[in-house]
Amino acid sequence: MNLTTYQRRVSVGATRAYLQRLRQTATQVDLTRLMALSVELVFENVETVTIEAAAVTDFWLLPGETVPATDLVGFELQVAADPANFHAQTFATGKARLSDGRDRVLAFQDVTQLIVHTATTDRHYSVTWNPLSAVDQENLNQHVALTSETLTLWAWPVPITHWTDILPAATDSLNFAVMVGELTTQLGDTYDETQVRTILTTALTELRSFSDLAQPTTQQHIVVRYQPRHADRPWTEQRYDDADGQDHADLYLWSYPELLGMDLTLPADHFWEGVAWLLWEITFSGAEALERQQTIERFQDDLVQGDQAEQDFRAQTTKMKRFWDAYVSQHVTAPDLAATVAHFWPLTTGTPVSGPVVSQRQDPQLLAEFMARFGAAYRKFDGDGQDAPERKA
């Protein structure tokens, strides 16, 4: 969801569907086993609402995949709907406002922290906001539903987003600072902060400029993953193709309009860092549109030439193998047959480089020697075993 589609209050049916998804990966909390006294909600404006544990009918927590377990990307808190169960308190006056605690929960979805108070300790859980949310507004992942029996407050991380949501939010100074800081920290030996800012600014400006030319697709998807255990390369930015079910590391070869038509999946707990690395990957072929298009065209030309060279090599080596098959069948009794075939056999596989590694290139000296002895017959050979060669003396 974004600012234009966000709904604070969600229908009971939609809530049920979201909670089914949430509970597939979240962990249920047994407040009785914890001997909990209450659950406290801390809001962005530092107001709080405290709910007695006995009034909580269900409680689920969903921590992020790559952050401490106390950092939540999602949660569900279901409470008996009686307004008396919600005790509001403002930070400024310290005076309890018992009558409007439930109204505060319903009014604005900006919970930043959950605190479980027990007889012996307090457990603090920070709530990760949707990265597209403004810090002084509402968490676009958080919603509430109210029935005659229960109030359900929940947040669920939205895994797929779109460029139309990201580009406006990327102009926020805090979000942009996160992106610059991430790349500068990781690439500081090669690129300074000014260079990183220039590249990111150019890429974002170009993407916004091409917004109306986006080419929507339901088959191609951008997937950014963060795997901190892979210290040498924790970030991967790839294109997932529904047609072959494979990831492809070729985003830098797609035009801005093509990229803008793809949806994106990014880690909820390192969102803007992921956007930074995605932009870095995209701009491997250049950030400015004209420069980028020229680079892409050169890459594509090189790929075509490489494909043609590979096809030519395969055709040459396949014909050479068939030539020797035919030669052997017609010279079974030749005393030097094995030595002759072994000598020229590398022409069927390529030129040795190192150990078992061979290049897709026939040794020119060996090929010249072959043509001197068998050239006439080889030129007449059609590759199907016909006109098999006679050995040249």
Side-chain angles (χ1 to χ4, degrees), residues 312-328 341 344-350 362-363 366-368 370-371 374 378 381-383 389:
D312 293 343
F313 175 78
R314 288 181 177 176
Q316 293 165 359
T317 53
T318 298
K319 180 179 178 180
M320 184 65 69
K321 288 176 182 177
R322 290 175 176 170
F323 175 88
W324 285 112
D325 286 342
Y327 183 89
V328 168
V341 173
F344 291 108
W345 191 251
L347 294 175
T348 69
T349 58
Q362 292 176 311
D363 185 326
L366 186 61
L367 182 60
F370 170 81
M371 295 304 293
F374 302 101
Y378 186 71
F381 183 66
D382 64 7

Side-chain angles (χ1 to χ4, degrees), residues 79-348:
V79 185
D82 187 342
N85 292 326
F86 302 82
H87 309 286
Q89 190 170 24
T90 61
F91 183 83
T93 64
K95 295 180 180 179
R97 298 183 296 149
L98 302 179
S99 62
D100 60 357
R102 192 181 76 172
D103 290 343
R104 176 62 180 89
V105 175
L106 293 171
F108 215 63
Q109 300 310 304
D110 59 341
V111 173
T112 61
Q113 189 176 180
L114 302 174
I115 306 175
V116 178
H117 297 284
T118 74
T120 58
T121 187
D122 294 337
R123 300 188 178 202
H124 293 254
Y125 300 92
S126 61
V127 178
T128 301
W129 280 31
N130 184 309
L132 303 178
S133 305
V135 293
D136 59 347
Q137 297 298 316
E138 295 184 86
N139 179 1
L140 299 180
N141 286 347
Q142 187 180 316
H143 310 274
V144 65
L146 179 66
T147 68
S148 59
E149 297 180 352
T150 60
L151 180 149
T152 303
L153 179 68
W154 52 276
W156 185 69
V158 181
I160 296 177
T161 189
H162 302 274
W163 287 107
T164 50
D165 302 328
I166 291 175
L167 293 177
T171 61
D172 180 274
S173 59
L174 293 177
N175 296 336
F176 189 72
V178 171
M179 292 190 286
V180 172
E182 170 68 15
L183 294 182
T184 301
T185 300
Q186 300 300 325
L187 304 171
D189 293 341
T190 308
Y191 296 88
D192 61 27
E193 181 178 335
T194 300
Q195 292 172 307
V196 169
R197 282 182 175 275
T198 300
I199 292 171
L200 291 179
T201 299
T202 303
L204 290 170
T205 300
E206 291 286 11
L207 284 164
R208 284 191 288 268
S209 299
F210 279 93
S211 293
D212 291 339
L213 298 176
Q215 300 174 12
T217 174
T218 58
Q219 180 171 306
Q220 309 296 334
H221 315 273
I222 295 172
V223 181
V224 179
R225 297 183 179 91
Y226 178 55
Q227 299 173 298
R229 289 175 295 179
H230 300 169
D232 58 329
R233 187 68 169 91
W235 289 96
T236 58
E237 313 83 25
Q238 297 173 318
R239 172 182 60 87
Y240 180 82
D241 190 339
D242 287 341
D244 59 17
Q246 299 293 321
D247 290 324
H248 303 270
D250 62 357
L251 289 172
Y252 61 91
L253 293 177
W254 291 69
S255 69
Y256 281 135
E258 290 171 326
L259 292 170
L260 287 165
M262 303 179 192
D263 59 35
L264 305 94
T265 301
L266 295 115
D269 40 8
H270 292 87
F271 185 89
W272 289 111
E273 294 90 338
V275 173
W277 283 110
L278 172 60
L279 294 175
W280 191 258
E281 172 69 16
I282 288 172
T283 56
F284 180 76
S285 53
E288 194 276 329
L290 290 178
E291 170 200 6
R292 195 167 179 277
Q293 188 58 41
Q294 292 170 355
T295 304
I296 290 174
E297 289 173 357
R298 286 198 298 271
F299 279 144
Q300 291 174 339
D301 288 344
D302 290 343
L303 289 173
V304 170
Q305 293 176 9
D307 289 343
Q308 186 59 52
E310 181 178 358
Q311 293 175 15
D312 293 343
F313 175 78
R314 288 181 177 176
Q316 293 165 359
T317 53
T318 298
K319 180 179 178 180
M320 184 65 69
K321 288 176 182 177
R322 290 175 176 170
F323 175 88
W324 285 112
D325 286 342
Y327 183 89
V328 168
S329 67
Q330 295 187 20
H331 300 81
V332 175
T333 60
D336 60 347
L337 177 63
T340 300
V341 173
H343 179 68
F344 291 108
W345 191 251
L347 294 175
T348 69

